[in-house]
Each structure stands twice: as structure tokens, then as C-alpha cells.
Amino acid sequence: MKAAIIGASGEAVHTIEKAHEYGLEVVALDGNPGAEGLKSADKPLIIDISDEAATIETLRQEKPDFVLTVPIGRYLTTVGAVNDALGLPGISREIAVLCTDKFQFHQRLSTQGLRNCRCYAIEGKNILNADQSISQKQKIAPGQLQLTYPAILKPRYGSGSRGIFMLTRTEELEEALQAIGEESYVLEECIAGEEYGVDGAVTEDGFCMILLRRKENTPPPARQAVGYTSILPSEGFWQQVQDHMKKVIAGLGMKECLLHADLIQGEEGPFVIELSARPSGHNLHNLFTPLAVGVDMAEQYIRYRMGLSYSFVPEETKSMMIHYFDMQGKVTNIPARRQVEEVLDAQLAAWSCNIRKGEELSPVSDGHSVMGRGYFVLKGRDTPFLRSQVEVVRKLFFR
């Protein structure tokens, strides 16, 4: 059998390696000749994956049995277009658009009572009401918006915490609109509460929630995740999220895919910020999730697509945390893993550090400013304990 990978960054390597374990031939497509995933594939093809027609024609000739989704941004739509054109299992282009366009995502869920905030689209600095069709270009002045502050202004098609504005009044919105240029944005009311992430899968058996993880974020506006802690199924919010996610997935019409979502524990229950029909990045689906629940999402989806027995249901959820190196200042010491283990009371389950001695670490502002530094994974009794152990690790770099 043959599998296709569309978007072959380094985060695709894990899925490619798992596919090889099951004897799959992998053809990988990416526009970057230096993409890490291309080096791991059986057949690397340098294709601009934003060009749907070229990607479809290339894969029409390759005749894959299915496409394996990997962490990818806006061009998840190309995956859907390929599935539609070649009659392959997996998400459609329509569903991929809902996953990548924050405005259409809001419109779909809002009409079904699954999103309780006001949202506007910003196109060419024109503000569009969420009740309008995309083609209507009626201007709304900032002062005329039915909007409760605080509100968030963010790129409509993904951002990685880039270009986000947290707004508290109309004057700030007017200033932000002058700063964003011609890029498409969405403006929506903020829902207060703690933020979480979800890993899951949708198969012929329905939705299975694999892992719920609490986020540790930097302050607004970026709110860049610098750590995640596993949530045990015995906690009440876990069941609330699973029930709500089933409604959201049904409302979107999602089928046959891996997924990850960001949500908030609001006063009225779970509120889904974003959802995408592909696995999570940042060493979550390939490292943290398997460590925390014993389920390798990529492997189980490969088994599912190959017609083998599979299970996304975690047998046990361990109390664990993955944390990225979010320190700032001049690094005076680089501890070896053995030295870290000697000072920790928690179990060090994984360690990868790319920081150099003497390096000046700037404050974390987005994913690019922190993810390349590395990560560590801790196992311990509860979240407060794990957070205290993170501080122990941080101090090792400034002895």
C-alpha cells in the first residue's frame, strides 16, 4: 500500500517512520527542498502544496491508497481537495476550509448554538458582520459594532500567535486596524477562562477523545503555549469536554480524521476556540500524548486506514507535563540530562535541549521564539507539583 504526505516538515517525520514500520510506501510533497520530511520519504516530491491542481495531478499519477495528515496550517485545504478529486478516505475540502478559516468556522458553529460570542471578519480593513455572507462587503464603523470588550483581533487563516491584538476599547481597535495592512483578520469577543488542548480521532465508530491537556500560556495578547499538563478522565471537566466535542464535530460534519482543538473552560462550559482535522504539533501527538496515555495517534490511524485492528482509547492517563524552555536572560549553564534528574523530585520522562551557553534568551512572543529551544517532559503526582519542578529546571540554566 502507498500513503501520501502533504506538507513534509520535520513534524511529519514521526508519521513517515510509523508508516514505514507497517510496510507502507510513502510519497511526500512539499515546496521546500530542504523539508525534513522529504528526507524520510520513499519518494520526495518538491511541489508547491498551495497549488491544489498541481498537487492533485501529481498524486493522481502516484495513486496513493490514502493521505496521512500531519501538522500543517492553511493548506490542509489541499489535503481535502486531493481526497475529493481522487476519491480517497479522509476529510473533504469543505471540512478543511472550516478548519482553516476562523470566520467560516464561527459562522457554522454559531448557527447551531455552539459558539456564544460575536465575531466579525476584517477584509481590506472593511468590517463584516458574521451574519453576512462572505461576498457582502458592507462596511461597519468600529464605533457601531455590537461588541463587548475585551476582544481579540487575530489573523483569519492561522498565525502561530503572530499578529494578535488584545483590545479593551474602540480606540485600540481603530489603531489596530491601521496596523494590520491588507491581511484578512477576525475580530471576536474574548471568552474568559482557562485554556485547554484536545487530541482526538473520528472514525466509523465516532469521536474518541484521546487526551485533554491544560495549557500554560504567556500573558495576552500572544498567549503562546509554553507547557501542557495532562487532565485525568476522573476530573469533571474531562467529561464536559468530551460531550461538547461530540456536538461540535457533528455540527461541522467531520469524519475520518485525526484532530486537535483549542478550547476554554468558560462560565457556561467548554468553548472551542479552534479545531483542525490533523494531529497537534510541538511534540504533542508524536511524544507527549503517547507518553501520557499510551496511544500513538499516527500509528493507530495508519492501522485504521490499513484495515487492521486499532484503538484510540487510552487505557490509563498519567499525570504528566511537557514544558518548553520559556526562560529569558543570558544562559550561564547547560545542564546534562543526568544533572537534571539528580535535582528533580519528579520523573524526567524526556529531555531535548538546543540552547547554547552564553545565549541571550528573549521573551517568548510566539511559537518561533520558543519551540526551537527544546522541551522536557515530567511525570509527577499533580499539576502544582509539576509546576514547582519546572522552576527547578529553569534555575539550572542561570547558575
Side-chain angles (χ1 to χ4, degrees), residues 45 127 132 216 224 264 273 313 324 327 347:
L45 298 174
I127 304 176
Q132 295 175 291
E216 180 182 332
Q224 170 62 42
I264 288 175
I273 305 169
V313 180
Y324 311 103
M327 310 86 69
Q347 178 184 333

Side-chain angles (χ1 to χ4, degrees), residues 25 90 211 243 304 341 357 360 393:
E25 180 186 353
L211 178 65
D243 294 342
Y304 175 63
E341 291 174 327
K357 186 175 181 179
E360 187 73 37
V393 174

Side-chain angles (χ1 to χ4, degrees), residues 46-322:
I46 302 171
I47 300 290
D48 179 2
I49 62 172
S50 69
D51 188 334
E52 291 183 3
T55 304
I56 289 170
E57 185 54 36
T58 297
L59 289 179
R60 193 187 303 279
Q61 297 175 30
E62 292 296 327
K63 297 181 173 60
D65 294 282
F66 46 82
V67 177
L68 292 174
T69 52
V70 295
I72 188 176
R74 183 172 182 177
Y75 299 115
L76 180 68
T77 50
T78 302
V79 175
V82 166
N83 289 338
D84 289 347
L86 304 186
L88 300 178
I91 60 164
S92 65
R93 190 182 189 283
E94 177 186 4
I95 297 301
V97 167
L98 292 175
C99 291
T100 55
D101 184 332
K102 295 182 181 70
F103 189 52
Q104 291 199 46
F105 175 77
H106 172 86
Q107 285 182 308
R108 174 66 67 89
L109 293 184
S110 180
T111 58
Q112 300 180 44
L114 294 171
R115 220 162 184 264
N116 57 339
C117 72
R118 296 183 181 89
C119 178
Y120 300 87
I122 313 295
E123 294 288 348
K125 299 186 180 179
N126 294 333
I127 304 176
L128 308 178
N129 193 298
D131 295 328
Q132 295 175 291
S133 69
I134 300 299
S135 62
Q136 290 178 289
K137 298 296 182 182
Q138 177 184 345
K139 290 185 180 181
I140 305 173
Q144 297 176 323
L145 294 176
Q146 294 182 343
L147 188 70
T148 300
Y149 289 94
I152 189 166
L153 182 66
K154 55 187 177 182
R156 179 169 168 176
Y157 303 102
S159 68
S161 298
R162 170 193 57 82
I164 293 177
F165 299 83
M166 188 69 73
L167 310 169
T168 60
R169 60 185 187 275
T170 300
E171 291 75 17
E172 291 179 0
L173 172 58
E174 292 172 337
E175 292 174 4
L177 290 176
Q178 295 304 312
I180 64 175
E182 297 300 313
E183 184 177 356
S184 299
Y185 268 70
V186 292
L187 171 68
E188 67 180 32
E189 295 169 334
C190 287
I191 302 297
E194 200 160 24
E195 194 169 337
Y196 292 77
V198 171
D199 291 319
V202 185
T203 66
E204 58 187 13
D205 299 321
F207 169 67
C208 178
M209 190 160 79
I210 301 170
L211 178 65
L212 176 65
R213 37 191 164 76
R214 183 185 288 109
K215 286 189 178 185
E216 180 182 332
N217 287 332
T218 59
R223 292 188 63 79
Q224 170 62 42
V226 293
Y228 295 89
T229 308
S230 58
I231 301 300
L232 306 184
S234 58
E235 298 186 33
F237 189 56
W238 198 98
Q239 188 63 52
Q240 290 182 39
V241 171
Q242 179 174 253
D243 294 342
H244 186 69
M245 287 294 298
K246 288 179 179 179
K247 295 176 183 177
V248 169
I249 288 162
L252 294 173
M254 296 183 73
K255 299 177 181 178
E256 305 289 316
C257 65
L258 298 176
L259 64 85
H260 83 101
D262 294 325
L263 57 87
I264 288 175
Q265 184 178 14
E267 292 183 357
E268 299 179 11
F271 173 88
V272 177
I273 305 169
E274 297 177 11
L275 183 151
S276 190
R278 48 88 165 175
S280 52
H282 299 167
N283 290 297
L284 293 170
H285 85 281
N286 59 313
L287 175 69
F288 184 63
T289 299
L291 286 174
V293 299
V295 176
D296 188 310
M297 299 170 61
E299 179 177 12
Q300 294 305 316
Y301 191 72
I302 288 167
R303 293 182 64 88
Y304 175 63
R305 288 272 68 101
M306 293 181 71
L308 303 173
S309 61
Y310 67 93
S311 177
F312 292 101
V313 180
E315 295 183 4
E316 177 189 9
T317 302
K318 303 178 182 71
S319 177
M320 302 188 79
M321 169 185 283
I322 183 170

